[in-house]
Amino acid sequence: MSRILVIRLGALGDFIQSFPPFAAIRGHHASDHITLLTTAPFAALAARAPWFDAIRLDPRPAWWNLRGLRALRRQLRGFDLVYDLQTSARSNRYFWLAGRPRWSGIAPGCALPHANPRRDFMHTSERQREQLAMAGISTFPAPELAWLTGGARPAGIAPPYAVLAPGAAPHRPEKRWPAALFGEVAALLAARGTTPLVIGSAAEAPLAAEIRARAPEAIDLTGRTTLADLGPVLAGAALVIGNDTGPMHLATLLGRPAIVLFSSASDPAITAPRYPDGGWPVILAMPDLADLPVARVAAALP
């Protein structure tokens, strides 16, 4: 039995886009022991998934923190093969901390490099698939997600409903369509007999309040769902509408009809959510999302 390490640190959308690679690695190493190195926000979700035998947390020590680096080095040592799905400047340095094991990634000198000079221009899903193919993985099964969708939805949630994801990373406000405009779409959905559900962190409760001011029928789930809880909610949605943020990647991975809103802060050709078969959701892009009219989103509704 070989000892395998997979590195995927975040952010949420990136982590979810690695579900298919996780499944491919598990299938290729069915009899091996697989450890995931990730960060604290994703540990509970990863622990429920069927792809890993162990989870280790990366405290991401500063490079001047010698004590922290020694502890991280102990976590990285002892593996026969490492799949670096983070492929960042930070994770490249982990190659040396790990003692230069067999390594799939882009670290200089690694044994299994993703040797495509145009990798930075590829969509994340295609880039990771090609990286694994170059490392010898040839089978890419659809990830099994029953572990994620089998739970109960919050009380009082019944179809038909549409999920709205009006948030984004706090440091990326330019990725947010104004909550007031989400509210107008919510009112339109409610008028058609579809209950709007607003998801997000507790810090995004003001966005939900602004939406409910225009659509009182909307149900506020902000701060009431963990990442794992989102699975059953999204799996039952008739439609999911949101900014370029993690839950939209989960919605499309679950095959739900989705409308994803992009500003110039991100390139959908590289980062947009994708369906399991490689298909694309409806993508509405505008350099400044404040200029995206409600009518354009309404026209995209099923």
Side-chain angles (χ1 to χ4, degrees), residues 169-196:
H171 64 286
R172 303 294 299 276
E174 69 277 10
K175 296 179 71 173
R176 294 185 177 186
W177 196 42
L181 303 185
F182 270 106
E184 293 185 36
V185 172
L188 195 61
L189 290 166
R192 297 181 180 185
T194 300
T195 302

Side-chain angles (χ1 to χ4, degrees), residues 30-78:
S31 301
D32 294 330
H33 187 280
I34 303 179
T35 298
L36 174 70
L37 180 72
T38 190
T39 49
F42 312 117
L45 188 66
R48 293 182 55 188
W51 307 310
F52 310 111
D53 300 295
I55 310 295
R56 294 185 180 181
L57 296 185
D58 179 5
R60 297 174 63 90
W63 298 115
W64 47 260
N65 181 352
L66 297 182
R67 183 177 180 182
L69 290 176
R70 285 194 293 268
L72 178 59
R73 182 176 62 185
R74 288 194 294 271
Q75 292 205 90
L76 291 168
R77 295 278 172 132

Side-chain angles (χ1 to χ4, degrees), residues 192-267:
R192 297 181 180 185
T194 300
T195 302
L197 306 185
V198 186
I199 62 171
S201 67
E204 290 163 341
L207 302 179
E210 193 167 354
I211 291 170
R212 294 194 72 250
R214 290 162 174 77
E217 305 88 347
I219 297 176
D220 179 7
L221 293 182
T222 56
R224 294 175 53 192
T225 55
T226 66
L227 291 180
D229 295 332
L230 279 180
V233 173
L234 292 171
L239 175 67
V240 185
I241 307 174
N243 303 316
D244 171 30
T245 188
M248 300 307 297
H249 291 276
L250 186 54
T252 53
L253 191 62
L254 294 173
R256 305 320 304 149
I259 301 172
V260 192
L261 314 179
F262 272 84
S263 72
S264 59
S266 301
D267 182 356

Side-chain angles (χ1 to χ4, degrees), residues 5 76-82 94-104 109-112:
L5 178 67
L76 291 168
R77 295 278 172 132
F79 292 97
D80 302 297
L81 175 59
V82 178
Y94 290 5
F95 173 57
W96 297 93
L97 284 175
R100 301 182 65 195
R102 293 185 71 232
W103 187 281
S104 167
C110 69
L112 302 168

Side-chain angles (χ1 to χ4, degrees), residues 8-23 36 38-39 41-42 45-46 49 51-52 85-86 123-125 128 142-145 147-148 199 226-228 230-231 234 244-255 271-276:
R8 195 40 151 157
L9 307 179
L12 177 57
D14 298 326
F15 189 81
I16 291 170
Q17 287 193 89
S18 290
F19 281 14
F22 292 160
L36 174 70
T38 190
T39 49
F42 312 117
L45 188 66
W51 307 310
F52 310 111
L85 300 181
Q86 191 67 22
H123 188 275
T124 300
S125 60
Q128 292 188 96
E144 171 54 55
L145 297 175
W147 60 273
L148 185 58
I199 62 171
T226 66
L227 291 180
L230 279 180
L234 292 171
D244 171 30
T245 188
M248 300 307 297
H249 291 276
L250 186 54
T252 53
L253 191 62
L254 294 173
T271 65
R274 299 280 290 275
Y275 290 116

